[in-house]
């Protein structure tokens, strides 16, 4: 059982999402003894009203707290940590930060419960990362840093023992100043305090033991209300080309190979800063020479493109960019509509998403989160040049997925020029069902 676990969920007035998640969870969360705490910084009490309306047998496990409306997420999380550290009753042995759009599957709860019983300091679910089918057990912080830190996020899928918390106010102040404070580049805060916190704390332990659960279970469900809304799109450079790098580089020198860990991150390897994506960001008014100048010192860590090309894309006329990279003015809404149009033709078939770039990431995320169809894999032309997982789904060469040629529906999620070539290849390989987004 999990009586010693508190699931912490920061939210900011997204009452409709909170309600959808709680309704979905209530069928099986009541089988477990953990508590849930919502920390709401919304401008009204809509989230509290949702919780008050939950069935009593479930509601008794849910706690509601108001937090500062003007506080950025990382300071909010730091305050939650501190409140638990200074709780004299110390009711919980483990804490788990989960976004307000996420439900944890029953299978994952059983796995985490078993891991808690073995007293691991960190228990990590396979959001992405190494993609190993087997569990990875680490006995040193450095090993954990190199093998299990490839898919960091500010609320990573990591369960932490409360022994990592501390009661020293000066240490809290030091960590907040080090990882959350503003810097000379911009007035935004960092996004990775949770990860920085536990990486700082585990090196203070006399002994450490962590486990990254093997990729054998789909551990999460995203609320359909979240859809494909991207909260980080226009902050992409600040998050991944600045905050991510700065957080890892600021870690204690005990951690070696920081630049290698940054470069092998799943969040970078998706191709967020490839030349074609930089061109698209330019057309979407996300990237220009001012942005390039602001973040160029971090580009060697997040892209394989030479700096001259990054600068060139930042100043080249948009009409020439479109021609060079064969980009059409497709909006995210058009991609959404195309998926809706394709769905009736997919029926109940298994799905292969062809494309490991940003569009493949988005499409596989939508399908795995809102469709009932099984995604048997992400297909790429050359497996050696791509990451091993996207959205927890294994990446294969298209030849490795040829065994599904008679039954699976292939959705090609790439830029138009590549899609046309891929469709020709699928025909030659004998795939029966396939379609490219936007009819490319």
């Amino acid at each position: 059982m999990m009586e010693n676990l508190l699931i912490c969920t920061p939210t900011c007035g997204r009452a409709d999402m909170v309600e959808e998640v709680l309704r979905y969870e209530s069928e099986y969360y009541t089988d477990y003894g953990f508590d849930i705490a919502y920390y709401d910084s919304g401008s009204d009490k809509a989230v509290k009203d949702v919780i008050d309306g939950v069935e009593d047998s479930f509601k008794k496990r849910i706690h509601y707290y108001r937090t500062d409306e003007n506080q950025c997420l990382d300071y909010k999380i730091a305050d939650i940590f501190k409140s638990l550290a200074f709780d004299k009753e110390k009711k919980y042995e483990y804490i788990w930060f989960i976004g307000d759009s996420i439900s944890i599957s029953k299978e994952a709860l059983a796995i985490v419960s078993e891991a808690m019983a073995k007293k691991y300091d960190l228990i990590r679910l396979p959001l992405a990362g190494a993609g190993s089918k087997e569990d990875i057990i680490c006995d040193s912080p450095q090993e954990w840093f190199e093998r299990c830190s490839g898919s960091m996020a500010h609320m990573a899928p990591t369960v932490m023992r409360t022994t990592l918390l501390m009661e020293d106010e000066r240490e809290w102040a030091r960590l907040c100043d080090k990882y959350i404070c503003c810097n000379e580049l911009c007035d935004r805060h960092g996004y990775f305090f949770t990860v920085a916190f536990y990486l700082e704390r585990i090196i203070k332990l006399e002994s450490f033991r962590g486990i990254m659960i093997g990729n054998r279970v789909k551990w999460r469900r995203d609320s359909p209300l979240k859809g494909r809304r991207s909260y980080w799109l226009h902050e992409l450079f600040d998050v991944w080309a600045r905050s991510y790098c700065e957080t890892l580089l600021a870690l204690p020198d005990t951690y070696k190979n920081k630049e290698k860990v940054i470069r092998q991150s799943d969040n970078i390897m998706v191709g967020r800063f490839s030349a074609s994506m930089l061109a698209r960001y330019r057309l979407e008014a996300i990237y220009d020479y001012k942005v390039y100048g602001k973040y160029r010192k971090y580009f060697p860590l997040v892209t394989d493109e030479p700096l001259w090309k990054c600068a060139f894309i930042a100043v080249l006329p948009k009409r020439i960019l479109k021609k060079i990279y064969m980009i059409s003015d497709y909006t995210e809404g058009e991609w959404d509509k195309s998926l809706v149009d394709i769905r009736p033709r997919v029926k109940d078939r298994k799905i292969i998403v062809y494309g490991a770039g940003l569009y493949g990431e988005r499409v596989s995320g939508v399908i795995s989160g809102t469709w009932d169809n099984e995604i048997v894999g992400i297909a790429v032309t050359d497996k050696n040049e791509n990451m091993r997982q996207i959205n927890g789904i294994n990446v294969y060469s298209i030849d490795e997925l040829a065994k599904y040629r008679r039954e699976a529906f292939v959705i090609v999620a790439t830029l138009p020029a590549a899609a046309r070539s891929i469709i020709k290849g699928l025909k030659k390989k004998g795939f029966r069902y396939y379609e490219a987004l936007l009819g490319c």
Side-chain angles (χ1 to χ4, degrees), residues 8 73-86 90 93-97 121-122 124 141 144-145 149 152-156 158-180 190-205 208 243-244 246-248 250-252 255:
C8 303
L73 178 60
D74 299 279
Y75 275 117
K76 186 176 180 178
I77 289 175
D79 282 351
I80 295 169
F81 274 137
K82 284 195 283 186
S83 69
L84 295 170
F86 288 89
K90 294 288 189 299
E93 186 176 5
Y94 285 90
I95 54 176
W96 190 354
F97 277 88
D121 297 295
L122 296 176
R124 185 169 178 83
W144 179 274
F145 179 62
S149 296
M152 290 189 183
H154 63 277
M155 287 191 290
T158 304
V159 187
M160 292 171 273
R161 286 191 78 180
T162 52
T163 49
L164 298 181
L165 301 175
M166 70 281 184
E167 297 183 18
D168 187 339
E169 281 283 6
R170 291 171 299 179
E171 181 68 0
W172 281 111
R174 182 186 73 82
L175 292 176
C176 287
D177 287 346
K178 185 175 181 180
Y179 294 106
I180 308 180
Y191 288 85
F192 303 100
F193 179 76
T194 305
V195 175
F197 174 81
Y198 71 63
L199 287 173
E200 281 266 0
R201 294 300 300 160
I202 61 177
I203 60 176
K204 304 290 178 65
L205 300 175
F208 165 77
S243 295
Y244 179 71
E246 285 191 346
T247 299
L248 267 64
L251 289 170
Y255 291 110

Side-chain angles (χ1 to χ4, degrees), residues 408-426:
F409 196 105
V410 184
I411 298 178
V412 180
T414 66
L415 292 173
R420 286 188 283 271
S421 175
I422 289 168
I423 290 293
K424 291 179 182 178
L426 291 173

Side-chain angles (χ1 to χ4, degrees), residues 212-226:
M212 183 170 179
I213 305 300
N215 185 33
R216 61 181 185 272
V217 61
K218 184 177 179 181
W219 75 269
R220 63 183 281 176
R221 167 191 180 269
D222 283 308
S223 165
L225 297 176
K226 184 177 181 181

Side-chain angles (χ1 to χ4, degrees), residues 96-107:
W96 190 354
F97 277 88
I98 292 294
D100 57 8
S101 65
I102 295 173
S103 298
I104 307 163
S105 72
K106 191 169 186 177
E107 295 79 5

Side-chain angles (χ1 to χ4, degrees), residues 2 32 96 104-116:
M2 309 174 77
Y32 294 85
W96 190 354
I104 307 163
S105 72
K106 191 169 186 177
E107 295 79 5
L109 288 172
I111 290 173
V112 169
S113 180
E114 182 180 345
M116 285 171 54

Side-chain angles (χ1 to χ4, degrees), residues 71-320:
Q71 195 174 40
C72 80
L73 178 60
D74 299 279
Y75 275 117
K76 186 176 180 178
I77 289 175
D79 282 351
I80 295 169
F81 274 137
K82 284 195 283 186
S83 69
L84 295 170
F86 288 89
D87 180 1
K88 300 303 179 184
E89 296 183 20
K90 294 288 189 299
K91 292 191 297 184
Y92 304 106
E93 186 176 5
Y94 285 90
I95 54 176
W96 190 354
F97 277 88
I98 292 294
D100 57 8
S101 65
I102 295 173
S103 298
I104 307 163
S105 72
K106 191 169 186 177
E107 295 79 5
L109 288 172
I111 290 173
V112 169
S113 180
E114 182 180 345
M116 285 171 54
K118 296 180 180 178
K119 308 299 182 185
Y120 288 103
D121 297 295
L122 296 176
I123 304 165
R124 185 169 178 83
L125 276 295
L127 178 62
S132 171
K133 291 292 183 183
E134 304 298 324
D135 295 345
I136 297 174
I137 297 175
C138 300
D139 293 316
S140 78
Q142 177 63 29
E143 182 186 14
W144 179 274
F145 179 62
E146 292 204 12
R147 300 185 68 187
C148 304
S149 296
S151 58
M152 290 189 183
H154 63 277
M155 287 191 290
T158 304
V159 187
M160 292 171 273
R161 286 191 78 180
T162 52
T163 49
L164 298 181
L165 301 175
M166 70 281 184
E167 297 183 18
D168 187 339
E169 281 283 6
R170 291 171 299 179
E171 181 68 0
W172 281 111
R174 182 186 73 82
L175 292 176
C176 287
D177 287 346
K178 185 175 181 180
Y179 294 106
I180 308 180
C181 66
C182 305
N183 67 14
E184 76 282 0
L185 286 177
C186 64
D187 59 0
R188 293 195 59 80
H189 296 283
Y191 288 85
F192 303 100
F193 179 76
T194 305
V195 175
F197 174 81
Y198 71 63
L199 287 173
E200 281 266 0
R201 294 300 300 160
I202 61 177
I203 60 176
K204 304 290 178 65
L205 300 175
E206 290 186 8
S207 63
F208 165 77
R209 199 158 184 257
I211 182 171
M212 183 170 179
I213 305 300
N215 185 33
R216 61 181 185 272
V217 61
K218 184 177 179 181
W219 75 269
R220 63 183 281 176
R221 167 191 180 269
D222 283 308
S223 165
L225 297 176
K226 184 177 181 181
R228 287 176 61 200
R229 286 180 286 175
S230 176
Y231 300 101
W232 281 3
L233 185 59
H234 285 272
E235 298 159 356
L236 185 141
F237 288 89
D238 197 34
V239 174
W240 296 115
R242 196 270 294 182
S243 295
Y244 179 71
C245 298
E246 285 191 346
T247 299
L248 267 64
L249 293 174
L251 289 170
D253 291 338
T254 305
Y255 291 110
K256 310 298 181 184
N257 304 320
K258 295 176 185 178
E259 294 185 356
K260 175 184 175 182
V261 172
I262 292 172
R263 291 192 182 100
Q264 72 188 18
S265 166
D266 292 347
N267 294 303
I268 304 302
M269 290 173 66
V270 159
R272 278 192 165 93
F273 302 107
S274 65
S276 61
M277 287 313 303
L278 288 175
R280 181 162 289 278
Y281 299 147
R282 175 82 191 290
L283 296 177
E284 295 174 354
I286 297 172
Y287 182 62
D288 57 22
Y289 194 76
K290 182 179 179 182
V291 173
Y292 164 77
K294 195 174 184 181
Y295 300 108
R296 65 182 174 186
K297 74 175 183 179
Y298 300 107
F299 273 26
L301 297 177
V302 300
T303 181
D304 292 329
E305 307 293 352
L307 283 178
W308 70 262
K309 184 179 286 188
C310 297
F312 189 62
I313 293 171
V315 299
L316 203 64
K318 294 183 178 180
R319 59 182 176 79
I320 299 179

